[in-house]
Every structure is written in C-alpha cells, then in structure tokens.
Amino acid sequence: MQIEKNVSVGSLTTFHIEAKASRLLTLKSENELPALCEAFRAEKGAARRPLILGAGSNVLFTGDYDGLVAVNRLTGVRELEPGPEGEYRFRAASGETMDHLVRMLTLSGHPGLENLVLIPGSVGGAAVQNIGAYGLEAAERIESVEICDLEDGSRRVLSCEECDFRYRDSVFKRPQAASWLVTAVTFSLPAPQDWLPVTGYKGLAAALEGKPLDAAAVMHAVEALRRAKLPDPEAVGNAGSFFKNPVIPELQARALLESYPSLVSYPLGGRRTKLAAGWLIEAAGFKGASVGAAAVWDRQALVLVNRGGATGRDVEALCARIIEGIERKFGVRLTPEVVIL
Ligand SMILES: Cc1cc2nc3c(=O)[nH]c(=O)nc-3n(C[C@H](O)[C@H](O)[C@H](O)COP(=O)(O)OP(=O)(O)OC[C@H]3O[C@@H](n4cnc5c(N)ncnc54)[C@H](O)[C@@H]3O)c2cc1C
C-alpha cells in the first residue's frame, strides 16, 4: 500500500474543486487494513486528522488538506441467508457504488432500495450520512454495519439500533467514531410479497399514474424526477443538497406560516416541524446568487454548484451568506449537510 504525496483530490469529489492532500492512499482490499491502521497511527501529531473519503459526493475541501486522505475502494457484494420472514439479505463492501447496488438489486427482483436510485456515493457513505430520498432513508433497509477501528485494528458489527440513525446523521458522525472505517453494510430487503411501494413523496405518485406499480417502475420514476431537478455532477460540480432541512418548534412554524402562507413544512410530531430549506433559500431571493464561480442552482435552490473554477472558499462564503440571510429573514438557522473540510 503506497502513500502518495501532494496529490490532487479535486477529481475525487463531485464538487470538482481543486485541492491537494499532503498524503493519500487507496484501500482496495480488507487485507490492506493492517497497513492502513499503521498509516493512521503514524498520523498522530499531524495538522489534520486522517480523512476517509468514499466517492467524495458530500464533502467540500476549502483548501489543501494537510493530513492523510484514505480513499475507500473496498468492493464485493454477496447474498446472505434469508431472514426469518423471508427477507433478502445482502452484504455490500463499503466502497461499492450505492447507485449500482440499488439498480442491480431492483432489476434482479430484490425490491426495497429503489427510491434511493441516482444518489451518488459509496455504500459506506450512504450509512454514515443515512442517505434519504423520495420518502425512504437507508436506515430503513440497513440491518447492520461493520467497522474497523483504525486506532487498534479491532473489528465490530453494529446493529441498526447501535448505528443510531437520524435525519442525515448516525453514530459514525460522532466523536467516538473518529477512527472508525465502515467496511461493509448488510441490507435487509422485504420478501417480494411483503414489499410495498413508497410513493407518498410529492410528485412521485403523479409520475407513476397509469404505470404498473413494481419496484423498477418506481426506480425509473424517481430517476426521471431527479434528472429534471438536480445537476449531473459530471457536468456541473456539486454535492447535492448543501443544507439540511431545518427542524423547528411547531409554534415557530405556525407563526412563520401566518406570515408566509406558501411556506413548505412537514409536521413531525413531538411539537416539531421540518421546513424545506430550498423554499427558504428561494423565498429569500438567493436563487441564482453567486460568489466567484460558486452559485445557487437555478432549478433547485438547495444545491450549490461550481460553475467552473470555483474555490472552496467561494462555496464557503456563499454558504455563510445564505445562512445569515435566512436567519435574518426567517429567524431559522440552516446547517450544512455537506462535510466542510
Ligand atoms: C447530485 C447529488 C445528489 C445527491 N442527492 C442526495 C439525496 O437525494 N439524498 C442524500 O441523502 N444525499 C444526497 N447526496 C449526497 C451524497 O450523495 C451522500 O451523502 C453520499 O452518501 C455520500 O457518500 P460518499 O461515499 O460520496 O461520501 P464522502 O463524500 O466521500 O464522505 C462523506 C462523509 O462520510 C465519511 N465516510 C465516507 N465513507 C466512509 C467509510 N467507509 N467509513 C467511515 N466514514 C466514511 C467521510 O469521512 C465524510 O465525513 C447527493 C449528492 C450529489 C452530488
């Protein structure tokens, strides 16, 4: 396993923003884990703590990374024994591409992940971020997650409950997991007779009208909706939704609704309400706003894009301007979903 020095990492992220890592290595097999642990321990005292990079679809480098970047390319998918209710179970190595897995399973008659099609990123990243789209979160299909603690090389399997999945959050984002590498994820998918399509999300039911309601149809409908709204990172650098949808007290949401009747909000129970961050950004007049070559995407205000040649600092400055503007106008503080480095 070779450590490369002063390597460009721009092409390893979907923002395509130029930055260099002082040290970089690529993990291709679990046999290399002891060497990765050694490299990890050798970083004690480095300016930045080691960073695990999956497909780089949810990170923003704001400058060069003075530390070790470990790129995860562990591959392999295998089917496990069915669960007690006939559930299909698949173990996927964390460096597998989540979108490939979703397509492969859906099209081979294993429904359950179809709503998550076209979300870029690795299987490991999907668990860390608990990705979600069109009414489904990864957590609803994850049975367990395997990790390696790079500090001492120990391995553990965490049950779904231990992963403590929340909205775009999990135990893997907390301080105790700073030295954990997710190595594999086991998904549990409903047996075909127990599968129910998830079509409650705005626009999806309408897109499916008149079509047979099978998993492939749901997947293709989600794909079409996403393509119409979101920029293809290959053409326009971006990291998907830049901000999380804010969750605020119900009373505050009611007051906002009085002033802004078209506000998009979802009651969550527990006297809390989720607001659509994209609506807030658009209503505050930020659609199309820019700093340098970083801009708010004109078809979906939740997405910040690199129009070509943007720096990480441009994106960071645009992010700060939006947070400040939303707080001033609505009294709601947005938090980034993207990991800002
Ligand atoms: C066009 C576009 C659309 C998107 N749409 C959605 C969407 O609909 N829903 C959604 O939820 N997200 C969406 N995203 C965000 C992104 O795709 C997900 O967050 C994805 O899961 C990130 O995976 P990754 O492998 O790219 O992670 P990276 O960006 O490489 O890393 C993200 C974080 O996870 C950590 N990490 C990654 N892999 C591991 C590992 N194996 N072990 C430990 N830590 C790890 C990294 O250190 C980092 O902190 C979108 C992004 C883009 C570009």
Side-chain angles (χ1 to χ4, degrees), residues 79 82 85-90 105-106 108-112 114 188-197 213-215:
E79 187 166 4
E85 313 287 331
E87 305 92 334
Y88 288 120
R89 297 168 64 241
F90 287 88
L105 292 175
T106 306
S108 63
H110 303 96
E114 55 282 350
S188 173
L189 308 178
Q193 68 274 15
D194 295 329
W195 171 79
L196 286 172
L213 218 59
D214 58 28

Side-chain angles (χ1 to χ4, degrees), residues 52 54-58 72 120-122 125-126 129 131-132 168 182 226 238 240:
I52 295 161
S57 65
N58 211 31
N72 173 31
S122 62
Q129 299 288 87
I131 58 167
R168 301 297 173 272
V182 170
R226 291 183 66 95
N238 76 92

Side-chain angles (χ1 to χ4, degrees), residues 14 51-59 72 94 118-122 124-126 128-133 168 180-183 226 230-231 233 238-241 337 339:
T14 56
L51 169 77
I52 295 161
L53 198 61
S57 65
N58 211 31
V59 293
N72 173 31
S94 56
L118 215 60
I119 302 183
S122 62
V128 172
Q129 299 288 87
N130 183 20
I131 58 167
R168 301 297 173 272
W180 296 0
L181 167 80
V182 170
T183 54
R226 291 183 66 95
L230 293 170
N238 76 92
S241 305
E337 178 182 320
V339 179

Side-chain angles (χ1 to χ4, degrees), residues 42-308:
E43 289 290 311
K44 278 229 158 69
R48 306 287 302 263
R49 67 174 194 82
L51 169 77
I52 295 161
L53 198 61
S57 65
N58 211 31
V59 293
L60 171 70
F61 285 102
T62 57
D64 290 342
Y65 198 79
D66 190 5
L68 173 74
V69 172
V71 182
N72 173 31
R73 295 287 182 260
L74 293 176
T75 53
V77 180
R78 75 185 144 88
E79 187 166 4
L80 306 177
E81 287 292 306
E85 313 287 331
E87 305 92 334
Y88 288 120
R89 297 168 64 241
F90 287 88
R91 177 191 184 272
S94 56
E96 285 286 342
T97 301
M98 189 64 194
D99 180 55
H100 293 172
L101 184 73
V102 170
R103 285 169 200 274
M104 189 268 281
L105 292 175
T106 306
L107 298 177
S108 63
H110 303 96
L113 288 172
E114 55 282 350
N115 293 51
L116 303 182
V117 72
L118 215 60
I119 302 183
S122 62
V123 163
V128 172
Q129 299 288 87
N130 183 20
I131 58 167
Y134 291 90
L136 184 74
E137 281 194 342
E140 294 170 66
R141 304 290 190 236
I142 291 178
E143 177 183 301
S144 62
V145 175
E146 295 169 41
I147 61 126
C148 173
D149 189 336
L150 300 177
E151 203 77 70
D152 58 12
S154 61
R155 311 285 291 267
R156 261 179 77 189
V157 181
L158 279 81
S159 66
C160 182
E161 208 166 49
E162 288 173 302
C163 295
D164 195 20
F165 289 118
R166 295 163 195 225
Y167 168 57
R168 301 297 173 272
D169 190 29
S170 70
V171 69
F172 309 108
K173 295 177 88 167
R174 318 246 165 86
Q176 75 257 40
S179 57
W180 296 0
L181 167 80
V182 170
T183 54
V185 178
T186 294
F187 295 91
S188 173
L189 308 178
Q193 68 274 15
D194 295 329
W195 171 79
L196 286 172
V198 180
T199 58
Y201 209 82
K202 215 175 79 190
L204 186 52
L208 282 162
E209 228 173 77
K211 299 205 174 108
L213 218 59
D214 58 28
V218 175
M219 185 177 86
H220 294 313
V222 170
E223 199 177 351
L225 288 167
R226 291 183 66 95
R227 284 199 198 281
K229 229 172 38 177
L230 293 170
D232 173 1
E234 287 309 310
V236 185
N238 76 92
S241 305
F242 199 89
F243 300 96
K244 292 187 192 182
N245 289 319
V247 176
I248 63 169
E250 190 184 283
L251 273 180
Q252 188 186 358
R254 265 201 231 142
L256 278 173
L257 268 168
E258 268 177 34
S259 312
Y260 306 98
S262 60
L263 176 82
V264 178
S265 62
Y266 313 91
L268 292 182
R271 296 184 186 280
R272 321 236 349 122
T273 300
K274 191 193 270 188
L275 305 183
W279 186 92
L280 296 173
I281 296 168
E282 198 173 337
F286 282 109
K287 218 170 191 182
S290 61
V291 171
V296 178
W297 182 240
D298 51 10
R299 267 176 276 160
Q300 168 54 276
L302 200 47
V303 178
L304 304 190
V305 297
N306 170 14
R307 279 186 183 149

